[in-house]
């Protein structure tokens, strides 16, 4: 969620009108769109942020299958683990 928010913020600050987010967890899109309930602090914050910026940025969500050999998804997983100090 934090990564998606960072990229949305980057696009807005740099006048980039659209963003395509590829994700392997469907909550990334469904919480933003209001298709899933936001009943935890992190998901509530994410949905509130998305609602505030949705008129400033055209966000498209693309679901990819996790752990399927998708080179970009594998790279994102590796970077996330590195950032968390677990790899």
């Amino acid at each position: 969620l934090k990564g998606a928010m960072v990229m949305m913020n980057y696009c807005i600050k740099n006048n980039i009108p659209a963003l395509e987010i590829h994700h392997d967890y469907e909550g990334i899109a469904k919480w933003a769109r209001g298709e899933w309930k936001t009943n935890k602090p992190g998901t509530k914050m994410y949905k509130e942020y998305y609602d505030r910026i949705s008129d400033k940025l055209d966000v498209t969500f693309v679901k990819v299958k996790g752990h399927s050999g998708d080179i970009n998804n594998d790279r994102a997983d590796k970077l996330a683990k590195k950032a968390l100090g677990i790899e």
Side-chain angles (χ1 to χ4, degrees):
L1 299 179
K2 225 23 179 164
M5 291 168 58
V6 166
M7 286 311 304
M8 291 178 209
N9 192 49
Y10 175 87
C11 289
I12 292 167
K13 284 187 174 184
N14 290 281
N15 298 313
I16 299 168
L19 172 65
E20 188 173 275
I21 298 177
H22 292 244
H23 58 90
D24 63 0
Y25 181 66
E26 62 185 316
I28 302 297
K30 291 191 174 194
W31 281 316
R33 293 184 195 137
E35 296 169 15
W36 280 7
K37 285 186 178 182
T38 57
N39 42 3
K40 293 190 178 179
T43 58
K44 286 179 182 180
M45 177 189 63
Y46 176 65
K47 172 68 172 140
E48 289 167 3
Y49 176 80
Y50 181 79
D51 288 347
R52 282 195 313 273
I53 63 91
S54 62
D55 63 335
K56 299 176 183 98
L57 180 66
D58 179 23
V59 181
T60 303
F61 296 96
V62 179
K63 173 77 169 79
V64 297
K65 188 175 180 182
H67 310 287
S68 64
D70 181 293
I71 192 165
N72 292 316
N73 187 55
D74 291 345
R75 183 167 184 254
D77 285 346
K78 185 175 181 178
L79 290 170
K81 288 178 182 176
K82 183 178 179 183
L84 293 171
I86 58 176
E87 186 170 285

